[in-house]
């Protein structure tokens, strides 16, 4: 099997999503660091791979694939015999629905607003924008409750097998759970709290999200 290359920094949530799948599939891969903070993702060389200058980008067999929702189904077929996508059409729809909710409604409030302002900005000597954090709590709660209403969490999001949706949500929880706002945002989502206590113990999560 050809060894794929993942471009991106290990701290990126979306890079972590791709790596969680590769780790759970037992696939070998190379991780090539591309720094999102120093402007490296906006260099002509990197923009030639990913015109929007984001990570991750996957290279395999001379082909380049960007956008996590395109990368993970591809890797699932090539390296995991499709085991991370449910065969039942409704479960498949729920999986994609959860991934879309994460991308469209959860990532921005939970990571871009709350985590970055609460944890990253102060760690670099800056001051938290409290207004931005306060304004992000309700949207994060809405997204969490929407996922809660779709998920099974026994023990994984869609039942007893890991799916792409778990790989998508785990890295968000890793960062979001490091903020005090996580308690409020998950107060009405007991299933997701139980899910988190299970998946946070997976060896792949400890390895990729350490
Ligand atoms: N839609 C992209 C989003 C990727 C993304 O937002 N990556 C972040 C890191 S987690 C990034 O590259 N940020 C750098 C930037 O926005 O300049 C995907 O699903 O792959």
């Amino acid at each position: 099997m050809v060894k794929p290359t993942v471009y991106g920094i290990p701290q990126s949530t979306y890079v972590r999503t791709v790596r969680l799948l590769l780790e759970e599939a037992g696939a070998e891969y190379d991780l090539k660091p591309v720094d999102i903070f120093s402007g490296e993702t906006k260099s002509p060389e990197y923009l030639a791979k990913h015109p929007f200058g984001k990570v991750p980008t996957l290279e395999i067999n001379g082909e380049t694939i960007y956008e996590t929702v395109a990368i993970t189904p591809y890797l699932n077929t090539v390296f995991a015999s499709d085991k991370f996508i449910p065969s039942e059409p409704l479960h498949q729809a729920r999986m994609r629905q959860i991934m879309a909710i994460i991308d469209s409604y959860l990532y921005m409030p939970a990571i871009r607003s709350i985590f970055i302002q609460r944890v990253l900005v102060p760690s670099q000597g800056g001051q938290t924008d409290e207004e931005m954090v306060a304004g992000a709590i309700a949207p994060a709660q809405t997204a969490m409750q929407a996922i809660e209403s779709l998920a099974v969490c026994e023990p994984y999001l869609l039942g007893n097998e890991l799916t792409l949706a778990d790989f998508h949500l785990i890295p968000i929880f890793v960062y979001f759970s490091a903020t005090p706002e996580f308690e409020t945002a998950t107060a009405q989502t007991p299933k997701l709290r139980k899910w988190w206590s299970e998946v946070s113990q997976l060896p792949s999560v400890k390895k990729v999200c350490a």
Side-chain angles (χ1 to χ4, degrees), residues 12-14 36 41-42 53-56 67-69 107 112:
S12 153
T13 57
Y14 286 104
I36 60 176
T41 43
K42 308 296 184 240
K54 305 262 185 192
V55 294
E67 288 305 304
T68 305
V69 290
Y107 180 82
R112 292 299 280 257

Side-chain angles (χ1 to χ4, degrees), residues 16 19-25 29 162 167 170 199-210:
R16 288 178 172 185
R19 292 184 64 207
L20 283 171
L21 187 154
L22 286 164
E23 293 289 338
E24 285 292 336
Y29 60 96
L162 282 165
F167 303 141
I170 288 167
V199 295
S200 55
Q201 300 310 312
L202 290 171
S204 61
V205 174
K206 291 190 173 180
K207 178 175 178 185
V208 167
C209 304

Side-chain angles (χ1 to χ4, degrees), residues 174-193:
V174 170
Y175 285 143
F176 198 20
S177 65
T179 72
E181 285 72 22
F182 181 77
E183 279 306 305
T184 319
T186 56
Q188 307 301 322
T189 61
K191 285 192 293 176
L192 284 178
R193 288 172 83 115

Side-chain angles (χ1 to χ4, degrees), residues 154-177:
E154 285 181 358
Y156 305 122
L157 287 178
L158 292 158
N160 56 9
E161 303 290 345
L162 282 165
T163 70
L164 303 187
D166 294 279
F167 303 141
H168 229 71
L169 191 57
I170 288 167
I172 306 286
F173 265 58
V174 170
Y175 285 143
F176 198 20
S177 65

Side-chain angles (χ1 to χ4, degrees), residues 9 33-47:
I9 51 168
V34 184
D35 191 358
I36 60 176
F37 301 111
S38 67
E40 203 180 349
T41 43
K42 308 296 184 240
S43 69
E45 295 76 27
Y46 190 70
L47 287 172

